Amino acid sequence: MFKVMFIDDDPMVLRMASFMMKKSGYASVTAQSGEEGLAAAAAESPALIMVDAEMPGTDGFEVTRQLTSGQTAAPVCMMSGTITDEIRAQALSAGAIDIIEKPLKAPDILRIIGQIKTEG
Protein backbone atom coordinates (compact mmCIF):
# COMPACT_ATOMS: atom_id res chain seq x y z
CA MET A 1 0.00 0.00 0.00
CA PHE A 2 1.18 3.54 -0.81
CA LYS A 3 2.42 5.08 2.45
CA VAL A 4 2.83 8.80 3.11
CA MET A 5 4.97 10.11 5.98
CA PHE A 6 4.13 13.49 7.51
CA ILE A 7 6.77 15.34 9.53
CA ASP A 8 5.33 18.32 11.40
CA ASP A 9 5.65 19.74 14.91
CA ASP A 10 1.90 20.46 15.08
CA PRO A 11 -0.03 17.41 16.37
CA MET A 12 -3.29 18.72 14.85
CA VAL A 13 -1.73 18.84 11.38
CA LEU A 14 -0.55 15.25 11.83
CA ARG A 15 -4.01 14.08 12.95
CA MET A 16 -5.74 15.81 10.04
CA ALA A 17 -3.20 14.51 7.52
CA SER A 18 -3.59 10.95 8.81
CA PHE A 19 -7.37 11.28 8.65
CA MET A 20 -7.23 12.57 5.04
CA MET A 21 -4.96 9.73 3.97
CA LYS A 22 -7.10 7.06 5.64
CA LYS A 23 -10.24 8.51 4.04
CA SER A 24 -8.46 8.47 0.64
CA GLY A 25 -7.34 4.85 1.03
CA TYR A 26 -3.66 5.49 1.80
CA ALA A 27 -1.51 4.52 4.75
CA SER A 28 0.29 7.21 6.72
CA VAL A 29 2.92 7.52 9.40
CA THR A 30 3.83 10.63 11.35
CA ALA A 31 6.77 12.20 13.12
CA GLN A 32 6.64 15.27 15.37
CA SER A 33 10.13 16.64 14.71
CA GLY A 34 12.77 16.74 12.05
CA GLU A 35 15.00 14.44 14.06
CA GLU A 36 12.20 11.91 14.62
CA GLY A 37 11.27 12.09 10.94
CA LEU A 38 14.81 11.43 9.78
CA ALA A 39 15.04 8.36 12.01
CA ALA A 40 11.60 7.06 11.04
CA ALA A 41 11.97 7.60 7.28
CA ALA A 42 14.50 4.79 6.90
CA ALA A 43 12.51 2.40 9.09
CA GLU A 44 9.10 3.10 7.54
CA SER A 45 10.06 3.21 3.82
CA PRO A 46 7.31 5.66 2.80
CA ALA A 47 6.52 6.30 -0.86
CA LEU A 48 6.23 10.06 -0.18
CA ILE A 49 7.47 12.28 2.65
CA MET A 50 5.68 15.53 3.48
CA VAL A 51 7.80 17.90 5.61
CA ASP A 52 6.82 21.13 7.35
CA ALA A 53 9.21 23.94 6.42
CA GLU A 54 9.14 25.67 9.81
CA MET A 55 9.91 23.42 12.77
CA PRO A 56 12.02 23.97 15.88
CA GLY A 57 15.34 22.14 15.93
CA THR A 58 16.06 20.60 12.55
CA ASP A 59 13.84 22.60 10.19
CA GLY A 60 12.13 21.22 7.10
CA PHE A 61 14.76 22.53 4.71
CA GLU A 62 17.54 20.64 6.51
CA VAL A 63 15.36 17.52 6.84
CA THR A 64 14.68 17.67 3.09
CA ARG A 65 18.39 18.10 2.29
CA GLN A 66 19.27 15.07 4.41
CA LEU A 67 16.45 12.91 3.04
CA THR A 68 17.19 13.73 -0.59
CA SER A 69 20.94 13.33 -0.26
CA GLY A 70 20.63 9.57 -0.18
CA GLN A 71 19.01 8.57 3.12
CA THR A 72 15.78 7.61 1.38
CA ALA A 73 14.58 7.05 -2.15
CA ALA A 74 11.19 8.63 -1.39
CA PRO A 75 10.39 12.01 -2.94
CA VAL A 76 9.94 14.86 -0.47
CA CYS A 77 7.27 17.55 -0.68
CA MET A 78 7.41 20.47 1.72
CA MET A 79 4.48 22.16 3.46
CA SER A 80 4.27 25.76 4.71
CA GLY A 81 1.68 28.17 6.00
CA THR A 82 3.43 30.93 4.05
CA ILE A 83 4.71 30.25 0.56
CA THR A 84 6.72 33.04 -1.02
CA ASP A 85 8.89 32.85 -4.12
CA GLU A 86 11.91 32.73 -1.79
CA ILE A 87 10.53 29.85 0.29
CA ARG A 88 9.57 27.94 -2.87
CA ALA A 89 13.10 28.43 -4.24
CA GLN A 90 14.62 27.27 -0.94
CA ALA A 91 12.40 24.16 -0.91
CA LEU A 92 13.30 23.20 -4.47
CA SER A 93 16.98 23.93 -3.83
CA ALA A 94 16.87 21.63 -0.79
CA GLY A 95 15.58 18.82 -3.04
CA ALA A 96 11.81 18.99 -2.60
CA ILE A 97 9.66 18.07 -5.59
CA ASP A 98 7.08 20.71 -4.63
CA ILE A 99 5.74 22.77 -1.73
CA ILE A 100 2.07 22.96 -0.76
CA GLU A 101 0.18 25.34 1.45
CA LYS A 102 -1.04 24.67 4.97
CA PRO A 103 -3.65 24.14 6.19
CA LEU A 104 -3.44 20.95 4.19
CA LYS A 105 -6.14 20.09 1.70
CA ALA A 106 -6.69 16.53 0.48
CA PRO A 107 -6.75 17.51 -3.23
CA ASP A 108 -3.26 19.04 -2.92
CA ILE A 109 -1.83 15.90 -1.31
CA LEU A 110 -3.64 13.62 -3.77
CA ARG A 111 -2.22 15.66 -6.68
CA ILE A 112 1.32 15.05 -5.39
CA ILE A 113 0.57 11.32 -4.88
CA GLY A 114 -0.81 11.15 -8.44
CA GLN A 115 2.37 12.73 -9.83
CA ILE A 116 4.55 10.23 -7.98
CA LYS A 117 2.45 7.25 -9.05
CA THR A 118 2.58 8.43 -12.68
CA GLU A 119 6.36 8.90 -12.59
CA GLY A 120 7.01 5.66 -10.71
Side-chain angles (χ1 to χ4, degrees):
M1 175 177 272
F2 195 95
K3 185 189 309 182
V4 182
M5 171 176 268
F6 292 89
I7 305 172
D8 198 306
D9 60 311
D10 184 338
M12 180 58 90
V13 169
L14 297 176
R15 281 194 297 275
M16 286 303 301
S18 293
F19 175 77
M20 284 188 272
M21 291 300 89
K22 183 176 183 179
K23 195 122 171 90
S24 300
Y26 295 104
S28 66
V29 291
T30 61
Q32 289 193 330
S33 70
E35 296 83 358
E36 184 183 326
L38 288 168
E44 293 290 341
S45 300
L48 170 64
I49 302 173
M50 305 288 295
V51 182
D52 182 26
E54 296 112 21
M55 293 184 289
T58 307
D59 71 13
F61 299 102
E62 180 58 27
V63 170
T64 299
R65 276 190 284 279
Q66 289 187 36
L67 289 171
T68 58
S69 69
Q71 180 176 330
T72 179
V76 177
C77 179
M78 294 188 72
M79 311 175 285
S80 179
T82 306
I83 300 177
T84 62
D85 289 343
E86 181 182 340
I87 289 174
R88 181 175 301 283
Q90 280 183 285
L92 297 175
S93 175
I97 59 167
D98 203 348
I99 183 166
I100 62 172
E101 193 171 26
K102 289 170 47 178
L104 296 176
K105 297 170 201 70
D108 292 339
I109 300 169
L110 295 174
R111 176 181 57 80
I112 300 294
I113 290 171
Q115 288 173 352
I116 291 166
K117 286 181 153 185
T118 301
E119 293 168 6

